[in-house]
Amino acid sequence: MKDVINNEEIEALEKVVKKVKRPELKEILSVQQQILRAIDEFMIKEDVTRVMPLMMAPITDTLNHDVEETELNYCGQKFDVMKSMIFHKQLILMNEGLEKIYIVSPNIRLERPERNDTRHLFEFSQVDFEFKNAKMDDVLSFIEKLVSYVFSDLKEKCSKEIINIAGSLDHLNISKSFDRYRTEDLYEKYGEDFEKIASEKAVEPFFLINHKREFYDKEDLNNPGTYLNYDLIWPRGYVEGLSGGEREFEYERILVRMDEIGQSRELFRNYIEIAKRGLLPQTAGAGLGVERITRYVLQLDGIDDVTIFNRKPGETPYIF
């Protein structure tokens, strides 16, 4: 076996060395560590129980966009890497003693390289939380308090690091409540690229509500065609930082929503059986991107500026 690497690998290797040795990496990681520490503190104050993540399972998030599938076989059964623990959060809350849970959850989504942008990674982490018997307004209020708590904590404990990289703390000064906009209203105002344009014009985080996407996002039956879900949009062009919603939990409604988008019932047969037995609780929740909030706090150009090793879709070869 030859120990000679080709020119493409040499170039990629040099990029890795430069990325790992950059002087600002320690400050980036320190800020990200404090973000997670503040989130843990807030969750404890709010009596939200932390559970450990899963890395693979027979079912995972169906997502509302195309990614490369990563199927593997274990003990004669098909598994997928975890795209998010959305279904498992619902199942965990079947336990009568648990009301509110969260997970610092590693996720793998093999995004298509053509989605080349500043906010997607094929491997990332999110703070995934879910509450039993919660409504959309409950979760939005919780998110507002969570973000305010984290930003206040960072201004107190990481001001030097943030100013060194971002140049200011002004973007962390936010209102106690965030504006809400409907997708159809912003689409009418700004056109196809409404999320990006609205984010660029905004000076504070805001909620974008009413997306037609995954079958598990609950439809408001009092207003058919309206969905009880939401994204948190970071301002200054940093776009989506969190996504969530109320969940469909009733057997018949799950089947209707699955059929609407052509989702395989066979793949979710065990999940459907749980719903059929009336065991799925009514829940609502969200997932907050760890790398995305770190990027916003430090006002970095791209999401890959937050990572140690390259996890940007389409950047080849991946040396490490």
Side-chain angles (χ1 to χ4, degrees):
M1 178 179 176
K2 295 182 179 180
D3 59 355
V4 178
I5 61 177
N6 60 41
N7 290 336
E8 186 181 21
E9 289 173 325
I10 290 173
E11 183 179 347
L13 193 60
E14 289 173 347
K15 287 182 179 179
V16 170
V17 172
K18 182 179 180 181
K19 198 173 195 299
V20 173
K21 289 177 68 66
R22 59 196 151 134
E24 67 272 22
L25 181 59
K26 175 61 164 61
E27 291 180 314
I28 292 171
L29 295 178
S30 294
V31 170
Q32 184 166 269
Q33 180 181 33
Q34 192 59 44
I35 289 170
L36 290 169
R37 182 178 295 169
I39 289 172
D40 279 333
E41 290 174 355
F42 182 79
M43 294 296 187
I44 291 169
K45 290 177 185 293
E46 295 292 319
D47 197 27
V48 186
T49 302
R50 182 170 181 171
V51 300
M52 299 305 290
L54 300 177
M55 294 301 295
M56 64 179 195
I59 64 170
T60 184
D61 199 333
T62 52
L63 302 182
N64 66 334
H65 65 274
D66 185 32
V67 297
E68 293 185 24
E69 295 303 324
T70 309
E71 192 176 272
L72 52 96
N73 287 280
Y74 177 65
C75 291
Q77 187 176 356
K78 290 181 181 180
F79 282 75
D80 198 352
V81 296
M82 191 60 65
K83 299 184 181 77
S84 90
M85 286 183 61
I86 171 62
F87 301 113
H88 296 85
K89 291 191 300 178
Q90 287 181 285
L91 294 169
I92 290 167
L93 287 175
M94 288 192 299
N95 184 284
E96 293 182 2
L98 293 172
E99 297 293 327
K100 298 183 286 187
I101 59 169
Y102 81 107
I103 313 131
V104 181
S105 180
N107 298 141
I108 296 176
R109 298 180 186 177
L110 300 186
E111 303 283 355
R112 303 292 184 183
E114 54 267 25
R115 292 198 76 187
N116 185 25
D117 59 23
T118 59
R119 59 173 171 154
H120 284 97
L121 298 169
F122 65 76
E123 184 178 14
F124 64 96
S125 296
Q126 62 180 342
V127 178
D128 216 346
F129 54 90
E130 198 81 7
F131 305 150
K132 191 182 294 180
N133 297 320
K135 299 292 188 179
M136 181 170 74
D137 286 343
D138 300 321
V139 179
L140 297 188
S141 176
F142 180 87
I143 294 167
E144 290 168 342
K145 291 189 293 183
L146 171 62
V147 173
S148 294
Y149 184 92
V150 172
F151 284 5
S152 294
D153 185 79
L154 290 173
K155 286 188 290 184
E156 177 185 346
K157 297 172 182 172
C158 290
S159 59
K160 180 181 177 181
E161 293 88 344
I162 295 170
I163 290 172
N164 282 347
I165 296 175
S168 171
L169 297 174
D170 291 347
H171 58 294
L172 302 183
N173 297 324
I174 57 174
S175 302
K176 291 184 178 180
S177 61
F178 304 155
D179 290 335
R180 302 182 188 184
Y181 300 98
R182 296 177 65 87
T183 54
E184 63 270 30
D185 294 337
L186 290 189
Y187 181 87
E188 183 178 353
K189 186 174 183 179
Y190 296 123
E192 192 73 30
D193 212 15
F194 63 90
E195 182 182 308
K196 183 174 184 293
I197 295 171
S199 172
E200 289 171 344
K201 290 179 177 292
V203 295
E204 291 198 25
F206 65 88
F207 291 117
L208 187 57
I209 63 175
N210 188 30
H211 310 267
K212 186 172 184 179
R213 49 191 182 197
E214 292 86 358
F215 73 82
Y216 53 74
D217 282 349
K218 187 174 179 61
E219 183 175 9
D220 183 358
L221 296 183
N222 293 320
N223 298 283
T226 295
Y227 301 89
L228 300 171
N229 53 23
Y230 35 83
D231 291 346
L232 175 68
I233 307 297
W234 297 123
R236 303 187 176 200
Y238 284 83
V239 292
E240 179 201 332
L242 169 149
S243 183
E246 291 186 31
R247 316 303 185 188
E248 296 286 6
F249 66 98
E250 297 172 304
Y251 171 68
E252 294 293 345
R253 288 299 306 158
I254 289 172
L255 295 184
V256 168
R257 296 298 311 286
M258 292 180 83
D259 291 345
E260 283 179 352
I261 64 172
Q263 178 62 56
S264 167
R265 293 189 185 185
E266 172 63 19
L267 178 63
F268 287 91
R269 61 189 181 279
N270 295 313
Y271 174 79
I272 291 171
E273 179 63 23
I274 292 289
K276 186 176 182 180
R277 296 183 186 186
L279 296 175
L280 275 185
Q282 178 181 338
T283 72
L288 173 70
V290 174
E291 289 84 1
R292 290 185 180 185
I293 189 173
T294 307
R295 178 191 171 217
Y296 175 72
V297 166
L298 292 171
Q299 297 287 282
L300 294 168
D301 290 337
I303 193 70
D304 50 318
D305 291 333
V306 174
T307 64
I308 301 176
F309 299 104
N310 183 31
R311 290 298 181 265
K312 186 176 181 180
E315 295 267 326
T316 55
Y318 296 102
I319 301 298
F320 298 109

